[in-house]
Each structure stands twice: as structure tokens, then as C-alpha cells.
Amino acid sequence: NQLIFGSNYTYIYSNPPPEGKYRNYLYFKSNVELTGNLAYLLFKTTDNSSSSPHELLGVPFAQYLRLDADLRRFNYLGSRNKQILVTRLVSGIGIPYGNSAVLPYVKQFFTGGSNDLRAFRLRSLGPGVSQAFDTGTNAGNFDRTGDIKLSANIEYRFSLNTYIKGALFADAGNVWLFKGDEDSKFRWNSFYKQFGVGSGVGLRLDLVFFVIRLD
């Protein structure tokens, strides 16, 4: 159990073309989350005890800085909406401090699944190259989380007819820890060697209001 309260700022930028126009465009979304600082300051100025972590109503409160960003580029490869090359870069970092030794579980990063690395089950990769979990049965995969995330996707989309679309894609990424064993920690000289990589093909049933995907 842990209390999480603080501030969150979200910035979104997007410049899609008008209806019927086909030009390249960007989508960018970033979040900054800062929690627990006012409560920690209050305890430090009113409580002389050295007990840690401090608690409110008998429950410890979290203190951390968390940043994440999602950048997407849409490139039209023709004069009509027939072929599109979409590239995506996702990054995130969470830093616990003060009243927290680790990020709250719900704020930790994970990878895999249908909207991330599609060749891997949800939470079945990382941290780093850790082999502490059984990926065959998916047992223990709820512990496959990290303080740092990097992932990238590239997808070539094309139309088969008005409603059915096709796609070719490749995904890569992983999560890492600040603290842990050598297999799970983030290292500048080796992180790029620890990416999980997958590729595949897909079909989309485009019904305008929603899209059904099969990858």
C-alpha cells in the first residue's frame, strides 16, 4: 500500500493534415510527474524523528520524478492515402528519492503486448537480460518492470481495398533498473545490445470509427 499524490503536466503536439490532404506530420506527447515533495517537506519541518519512510494515516507516501515521451512520424509515400510509413520512439525514466527507495509498482515501466513489442507477451521482457522469470509459462512476469524504458517501432501501411489494410512492421525495446544485478541494470555501453526485437505482418479492418487489428 502506498499513497501517490502530486503534480502532473502533459504536453501534446500534433499537426495532422486537413481532411482530403496527404502530407507528412508529427505527433508528440510527453508527461512530467512530480509527487510527494510537499508532504516530505512538511514531515521534515515538523517531525524530528529519523524514521523512514514517513507515513500518512499509517500508509507510506511515494516521492519520485517520472518523465515519459512518445514521438511519432507519419510519412505519406504517395499523393493519396494508400501507403504510409510510421515511425515511433517511446522513452521513459522514473527516479525515486526521499521517501521512496523504488518507484510505485503502478508507475514502473514495462514492455511487450499488442501496442508495444508485438512479438512478446505483455511484461515478458526485461529488465535488461534478466533470466529470473519463466517466460514459457508467463509466471513471474508481473515483476518484469523497470525504471527506464526505450522502444521503437517502424510500420509500413498500405491499402488492400476501402476497408481492409495491410501492414509490415518491426519493433525493438526493453526496460532496465537503476539498481539491481548486472543483468537488469542500465549500462550505456551495453543497453543497445539488450533490445528485444520482433517483426511481423498485419491486417486491419478499418471501419472509420474504430479499427480491428490482427498482427
Side-chain angles (χ1 to χ4, degrees), residues 132-183:
F133 313 101
D134 185 352
T135 55
T137 63
N138 224 34
N141 284 351
F142 282 102
D143 296 322
R144 286 183 172 269
T145 57
D147 307 312
I148 301 170
K149 176 176 181 175
L150 284 173
S151 67
N153 316 85
I154 183 168
E155 182 168 299
Y156 168 64
R157 301 173 182 174
F158 52 92
S159 296
L160 299 175
N161 59 40
T162 303
Y163 299 105
I164 300 177
K165 318 293 183 182
L168 303 173
F169 61 84
D171 311 318
N174 207 339
V175 294
W176 296 266
L177 297 174
F178 279 120
K179 299 177 182 179
D181 58 34
E182 290 302 311
D183 287 340

Side-chain angles (χ1 to χ4, degrees), residues 11-48:
Y11 173 80
I12 299 175
Y13 171 83
S14 183
N15 64 338
E19 186 69 27
K21 301 293 184 179
Y22 304 104
R23 61 171 172 79
N24 302 339
Y25 72 96
L26 283 173
Y27 171 88
F28 177 71
K29 179 180 179 180
S30 62
N31 296 285
V32 179
E33 190 171 353
L34 194 61
T35 71
N37 292 320
L38 290 178
Y40 189 76
L41 180 62
L42 177 64
F43 271 95
K44 282 300 183 182
T45 56
T46 60
D47 185 1
N48 294 323

Side-chain angles (χ1 to χ4, degrees), residues 5 8 44 61 65 96 102 114 132 136 153 165 177 181 188 212:
F5 57 95
N8 183 74
K44 282 300 183 182
F61 61 88
L65 170 66
V102 297
S114 60
N153 316 85
K165 318 293 183 182
L177 297 174
D181 58 34
W188 285 107
I212 299 174

Side-chain angles (χ1 to χ4, degrees), residues 79-199:
S79 60
R80 296 181 58 83
N81 186 16
K82 294 289 185 180
Q83 302 176 66
I84 307 175
L85 184 67
V86 183
T87 51
R88 182 188 185 199
L89 178 64
V90 177
S91 61
I93 185 170
I95 305 173
Y97 60 93
N99 211 50
S100 294
V102 297
L103 284 176
Y105 178 74
V106 295
K107 296 298 181 178
Q108 294 171 8
F109 298 99
F110 58 88
T111 190
S114 60
N115 293 315
D116 200 69
L117 272 70
R118 285 164 278 191
F120 297 86
R121 297 185 202 174
L122 188 68
R123 299 176 183 268
S124 67
L125 183 67
V129 291
S130 173
Q131 298 295 321
F133 313 101
D134 185 352
T135 55
T137 63
N138 224 34
N141 284 351
F142 282 102
D143 296 322
R144 286 183 172 269
T145 57
D147 307 312
I148 301 170
K149 176 176 181 175
L150 284 173
S151 67
N153 316 85
I154 183 168
E155 182 168 299
Y156 168 64
R157 301 173 182 174
F158 52 92
S159 296
L160 299 175
N161 59 40
T162 303
Y163 299 105
I164 300 177
K165 318 293 183 182
L168 303 173
F169 61 84
D171 311 318
N174 207 339
V175 294
W176 296 266
L177 297 174
F178 279 120
K179 299 177 182 179
D181 58 34
E182 290 302 311
D183 287 340
S184 60
K185 284 198 294 188
F186 181 87
R187 300 290 189 187
W188 285 107
N189 61 352
S190 62
F191 77 93
Y192 57 91
K193 302 175 184 179
Q194 300 174 348
F195 284 148
V197 179
S199 60

